[in-house]
């Protein structure tokens, strides 16, 4: 092989890029490896096509210098294998050809996906310039691909954040709507001119205060942009007294149950649970509101808070009604936001299809799960199963 020792190229500071040389001639491998190593490249060498493919499958090079004329598997066959593998297809290939190689061979090399070719005997300056050009192009292409990947990930993250924000806003607006509705109903009752005992009016004023406090808590969560940006609502882990929880829910539904002559029966064994008080109120309020909405006039709703019979480390908050029950199809889509069920509210109450999805989201955020048991025509039982307080 003819070389030109008078043409030397000063090593240029480059990152350690890996170049694979494939040639059946040991002298060629030695000379090429010497020039590339001196220029700052890391070098692998293979003396046949099979060995080259094995090396590439083990460690992906930044560029391959590939001799066309080799016994057995020639350079074209090697290139065809590389370009047919999605994991290797983007590796730039420079063919090494004889000085008098047929033009058709060069064209075939390009058609197979080669990026360039050099002829033997080669000039080291030309060889290294071509290697550097295509290694740099691959580096630039890799950077662009990485940038696009990061951009896609960022876009997906922003979409997820926006979805979480909309979900959170839907949750809070749903609960604030309900609280305002109760406050408006009480205020109308107090101002409609109908005589009312002082004790009863005082109780209604107390209800307004409870609802206002609940709305204030929800508003604080709504304004907490940091919570929204984290894509979730981080619940507290505190002792929640179940008797007080049931009393709160009972008081907040007095107007709705009175209007439909519904009786709410409360039962608690006093077992406290571990959770977030506001979230627990939201969960149980939505379950009871749902039961009231679908219960017929004069019926009964049972609200219980008891230690789970099968697992003493859990507390079961359950609401049982005498409504129309749920079909199998409705039960499959119960907790999907904005889903309308086939059952209709018994007094044409407004529904946006968010209540049960809120229950599921809040319960799972507190480490619990939601259960539904229902037979069409026989009412329904909804339960939020949460960890019991153990300290």
């Amino acid at each position: 092989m003819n070389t030109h020792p008078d043409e030397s190229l000063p090593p240029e500071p480059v990152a350690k890029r890996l170049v694979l040389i494939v040639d059946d001639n040991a002298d060629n491998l030695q000379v090429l490896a010497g020039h590339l190593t001196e220029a700052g490249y890391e070098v692998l060498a293979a003396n046949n096509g099979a060995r080259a493919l094995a090396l590439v499958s083990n460690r992906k090079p930044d560029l391959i210098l590939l001799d066309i004329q080799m016994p057995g598997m020639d350079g074209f066959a090697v290139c065809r294998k590389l370009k047919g593998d999605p994991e290797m297809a983007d590796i730039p290939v420079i063919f090494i050809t004889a000085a008098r190689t047929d033009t058709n061979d060069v064209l075939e090399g390009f058609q197979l996906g080669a990026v360039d070719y050099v002829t033997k005997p080669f000039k080291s300056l030309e060889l290294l310039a071509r290697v550097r050009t295509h290694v740099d192009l691959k580096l630039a292409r890799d950077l662009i691909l990485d940038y696009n990947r990061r951009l896609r990930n960022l876009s997906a993250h922003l979409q997820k954040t926006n979805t979480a924000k909309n979900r959170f806003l839907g949750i809070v607006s749903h609960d604030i709507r309900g609280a305002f509705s109760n406050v408006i109903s009480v205020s109308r009752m107090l101002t409609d001119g109908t005589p009312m005992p002082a004790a009863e009016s005082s109780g209604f004023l107390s209800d307004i205060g409870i609802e206002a406090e609940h709305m204030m808590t929800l508003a604080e969560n709504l304004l907490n942009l940091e919570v929204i940006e984290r894509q979730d609502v981080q619940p507290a882990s505190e002792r929640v007294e179940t008797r007080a929880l049931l009393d709160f829910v009972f008081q907040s539904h007095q107007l709705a149950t009175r209007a439909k002559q519904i009786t709410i029966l409360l039962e608690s064994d006093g077992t406290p649970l571990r959770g977030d008080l506001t979230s627990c109120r939201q969960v149980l309020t939505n379950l009871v509101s749902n039961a009231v909405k679908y219960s017929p006039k004069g019926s009964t709703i049972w609200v219980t808070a008891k230690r789970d019979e099968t697992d003493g480390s859990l507390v079961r908050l359950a609401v049982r009604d005498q409504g129309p029950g749920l079909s199998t199809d409705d039960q499959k889509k119960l907790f999907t936001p904005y889903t309308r069920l086939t059952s209709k509210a018994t007094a044409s109450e407004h529904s946006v299809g968010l209540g049960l999805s809120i229950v599921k989201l809040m319960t799972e955020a507190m480490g619990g799960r939601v259960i539904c048991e229902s037979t069409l025509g026989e009412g329904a039982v909804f339960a939020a199963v949460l960890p019991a307080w153990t300290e």
Side-chain angles (χ1 to χ4, degrees):
M1 175 180 180
N2 294 331
T3 61
H4 298 264
D6 56 310
E7 296 180 5
S8 59
L9 185 70
E12 180 176 328
V14 290
K16 281 284 185 180
R17 298 295 165 182
L18 180 63
V19 177
L20 171 63
I21 308 169
V22 187
D23 197 314
D24 63 317
N25 186 299
D27 292 336
N28 290 352
L29 288 177
Q30 184 176 359
V31 172
L32 288 170
H35 286 306
L36 291 169
T37 301
E38 185 181 354
Y41 295 98
E42 185 180 356
V43 176
L44 286 177
N47 60 5
N48 60 67
R51 174 62 178 163
L53 293 174
L55 289 174
V56 172
S57 65
N58 184 58
R59 187 180 178 193
K60 189 175 177 180
D62 294 292
L63 182 137
I64 298 174
L65 281 172
L66 180 58
D67 188 23
I68 292 179
Q69 301 296 330
M70 293 188 297
M73 182 183 293
D74 64 15
F76 292 147
V78 174
C79 187
R80 195 174 291 110
K81 287 275 189 181
L82 291 170
K83 298 305 177 181
D85 187 332
E87 295 296 320
M88 306 177 187
D90 64 332
I91 303 172
V93 174
I94 296 178
F95 274 123
I96 303 172
T97 72
R100 297 180 181 178
T101 298
D102 192 302
T103 303
N104 290 331
D105 288 344
V106 175
L107 291 176
E108 182 178 355
F110 284 127
Q111 289 171 355
L112 288 174
V115 296
D116 207 344
Y117 73 96
V118 292
T119 58
K120 297 185 288 187
F122 62 86
K123 297 181 179 180
S124 58
L125 282 174
E126 178 186 351
L127 171 71
L128 294 176
R130 291 175 185 270
V131 168
R132 183 182 299 116
T133 295
H134 291 292
V135 166
D136 289 348
L137 285 174
K138 182 180 184 299
L139 174 61
R141 185 173 65 250
D142 289 346
L143 289 174
I144 292 172
L145 291 173
D146 183 64
Y147 173 80
N148 288 337
R149 178 186 59 79
R150 291 173 182 269
L151 193 61
R152 287 193 299 272
N153 290 342
L154 177 60
S155 177
H157 172 74
L158 291 175
Q159 180 63 40
K160 185 177 180 181
T161 300
N162 188 58
T163 300
K165 180 196 69 175
N166 290 338
R167 181 182 63 183
F168 181 71
L169 292 176
I171 290 170
V172 176
S173 64
H174 176 274
D175 281 65
I176 288 178
R177 184 202 300 266
F180 268 119
S181 177
N182 288 336
V183 170
I184 291 170
S185 297
V186 171
S187 66
R188 287 175 177 170
M189 184 176 294
L190 291 173
T191 58
D192 67 358
T194 303
M196 183 181 295
E200 188 174 1
S201 63
S202 177
F204 282 131
L205 289 173
S206 175
D207 291 343
I208 290 177
I210 291 173
E211 292 293 354
E213 179 182 351
H214 186 48
M215 284 189 288
M216 178 63 73
T217 302
L218 293 173
E220 288 175 353
N221 286 338
L222 177 62
L223 295 174
N224 189 348
L225 296 179
E226 181 183 358
V227 170
I228 295 175
E229 290 302 323
R230 283 203 307 267
Q231 305 175 44
D232 56 9
V233 181
Q234 296 292 338
S237 180
E238 56 191 346
R239 180 186 176 109
V240 177
E241 301 296 341
T242 52
R243 286 197 177 97
L245 180 63
L246 265 59
D247 288 340
F248 169 85
V249 174
F250 177 80
Q251 293 296 330
S252 64
H253 286 84
Q254 277 194 333
L255 288 176
T257 54
R258 182 180 301 175
K260 297 180 73 171
Q261 299 177 18
I262 291 174
T263 300
I264 293 185
L265 299 180
L266 307 178
E267 185 179 357
S268 170
D269 63 6
T271 305
L273 61 82
R274 179 184 296 278
D276 178 274
L277 178 58
T278 299
S279 296
C280 288
R281 285 178 173 179
Q282 286 179 268
V283 165
L284 200 54
T285 294
N286 284 336
L287 290 180
V288 174
S289 295
N290 206 57
V292 171
K293 189 180 302 178
Y294 292 98
S295 292
K297 185 176 181 179
S299 62
T300 300
I301 295 173
W302 293 264
V303 183
T304 59
K306 296 181 178 181
R307 192 178 292 273
D308 189 79
E309 294 181 356
T310 59
D311 187 343
S313 67
L314 301 172
V315 173
R316 180 183 172 105
L317 301 177
V319 178
R320 178 164 66 92
D321 63 50
Q322 295 178 310
L326 296 159
S327 67
T328 302
D329 288 340
D330 276 349
Q331 291 186 48
K332 292 178 181 178
K333 56 185 180 182
L334 268 178
F335 303 104
T336 304
Y338 306 107
T339 296
R340 301 299 178 90
L341 305 179
T342 54
S343 299
K344 303 298 181 183
T346 53
S348 301
E349 292 96 332
H350 177 72
S351 175
V352 294
L354 267 178
L356 291 177
S357 65
I358 291 171
V359 169
K360 185 175 188 294
L361 173 66
M362 292 297 183
T363 302
E364 291 180 350
M366 292 186 288
R369 69 182 191 279
V370 182
I371 298 171
C372 172
E373 300 167 351
S374 180
T375 300
L376 191 62
E378 299 181 12
V381 178
F382 285 91
V385 183
L386 293 161
W389 182 263
T390 56
E391 297 179 14

